[in-house]
Amino acid sequence: IAANVHHVKSFLNHTAYLSCHFSNSQKTDINNIIVFWQKDTGEVVHEVYLGQERHEHVDPKYINRTTMDMDKWTMRLLNVGIVDEGQYKCVIMHMDKGPKKLIHESECLLNITANYSQPEIAQLHTGELKPNENLNLSCSSSGGYPEPKQMIWLISSENITDRLIRHMDILQDAVTKLYNVTSKLNIPVPANTLTNISCLLHLGEHQGSLVSVPLVIEIQEEEMEQVKIFSFRVPDIVQHPIVSYCLAYLR
């Protein structure tokens, strides 16, 4: 019997529902049926023998973590972890007044998803920002799975947005198997314009993206400020009648 692979997704620490996709069109009595689930690693995950659950062949890591809905031919795998990701096979055999007969076989590929934290921008320098210096930033997100595709920096000013792709450092926890990611940005400090800087974590196809709270920067160069003050105040001083009198007296 050719095996059909069905894709199943579940969130970390939630319940995964793995179906045998068995219609039981012959209305076979479940008391004459053997059902067992096996992982691609060879471990027996669940077994129903002639209508009764059996545990002697089940791998210890799955004891008390699985139940079988015989009406829907679906196994529930509780509190799934990253290590539960993989391919599972459902095998159904009929046994009635004779040898066992394989009547159905199918496979499910289980993928686990864990939500990343919202990306967060941090400044890697201290003190006030000044024009003509470098702006050093990092953007980080943690606790997610699977590995994300990339992190993109978005720099917006005056209705123009630049997209910068920088190297993304990826660290996987040896125990939880969850990922932490960080990207760094080094650019000249924007001056004389309102600038929004955000970072966007692209999780992958059909998984969407996460974006940080924008960092807003607005810096005026000191020289430009002095020019503005000077250019606006001098005409006012010259036109004032008291100042005109003083200037005439000095002459």
Side-chain angles (χ1 to χ4, degrees):
I1 299 177
N4 300 314
V5 180
H6 304 273
H7 291 263
V8 178
K9 290 185 178 181
S10 179
F11 283 103
L12 180 69
N13 299 326
H14 286 216
T15 299
Y17 296 86
L18 306 179
S19 175
C20 290
H21 295 274
F22 178 55
S23 63
N24 195 19
S25 59
Q26 301 300 317
K27 305 299 180 183
T28 306
D29 188 345
I30 62 172
N31 293 316
N32 297 324
I33 283 180
I34 300 171
V35 181
F36 71 87
W37 283 88
Q38 188 174 26
K39 201 168 186 292
D40 53 5
T41 53
E43 303 158 340
V44 176
V45 179
H46 193 86
E47 181 180 10
V48 178
Y49 186 83
L50 304 181
Q52 300 295 320
E53 292 189 352
R54 291 182 19 169
H55 303 289
E56 53 263 38
H57 301 128
V58 175
D59 188 277
K61 68 168 64 72
Y62 297 106
I63 297 294
N64 298 324
R65 290 186 58 214
T66 59
T67 60
M68 185 75 185
D69 185 340
M70 296 298 290
D71 292 327
K72 298 180 179 179
W73 302 95
T74 298
M75 180 185 70
R76 293 181 287 261
L77 179 57
L78 309 178
N79 193 31
V80 294
I82 304 300
V83 294
D84 292 318
E85 193 170 58
Q87 197 152 313
Y88 294 77
K89 179 184 291 186
C90 171
V91 178
I92 301 177
M93 293 180 289
H94 181 244
M95 190 174 70
D96 182 25
K97 299 178 183 179
K100 301 174 185 177
K101 180 183 177 181
L102 179 64
I103 60 175
H104 181 79
E105 183 177 299
S106 64
E107 295 186 6
C108 290
L109 182 61
L110 176 61
N111 294 310
I112 306 299
T113 300
N115 290 328
Y116 281 86
S117 64
Q118 182 181 18
E120 184 175 350
I121 295 177
Q123 298 187 37
L124 302 180
H125 52 78
T126 57
E128 295 184 1
L129 294 175
K130 296 181 180 180
N132 302 320
E133 293 184 347
N134 279 347
L135 179 64
N136 296 314
L137 304 175
S138 71
C139 182
S140 302
S141 179
S142 61
Y145 190 90
E147 182 179 329
K149 297 303 179 182
Q150 63 182 187
M151 189 172 280
I152 302 172
W153 290 88
L154 306 175
I155 304 176
S156 301
S157 60
E158 298 179 349
N159 298 322
I160 298 176
T161 300
D162 293 325
R163 298 166 60 91
L164 304 179
I165 299 177
R166 296 292 186 264
H167 174 73
M168 181 173 64
D169 293 318
I170 302 173
L171 178 63
Q172 186 177 27
D173 189 278
V175 177
T176 66
K177 304 301 180 183
L178 299 177
Y179 289 99
N180 299 329
V181 295
T182 302
S183 178
K184 294 181 180 180
L185 180 69
N186 188 316
I187 59 173
V189 173
N192 305 315
T193 183
L194 182 67
T195 301
N196 289 333
I197 300 179
S198 304
C199 62
L200 183 144
L201 181 63
H202 181 45
L203 302 176
E205 190 176 2
H206 308 304
Q207 294 180 327
S209 302
L210 296 174
V211 65
S212 69
V213 174
L215 176 67
V216 181
I217 298 176
E218 185 175 19
I219 298 177
Q220 299 292 336
E221 293 187 16
E222 294 179 358
E223 295 82 0
M224 294 298 294
E225 289 181 355
Q226 292 175 0
V227 170
K228 286 182 181 179
I229 294 173
F230 181 79
S231 62
F232 279 98
R233 291 183 179 178
V234 168
D236 295 338
I237 294 175
V238 172
Q239 293 173 7
H240 197 284
I242 296 178
V243 175
S244 299
Y245 173 82
C246 292
L247 291 174
Y249 178 79
L250 292 173
R251 294 191 185 98

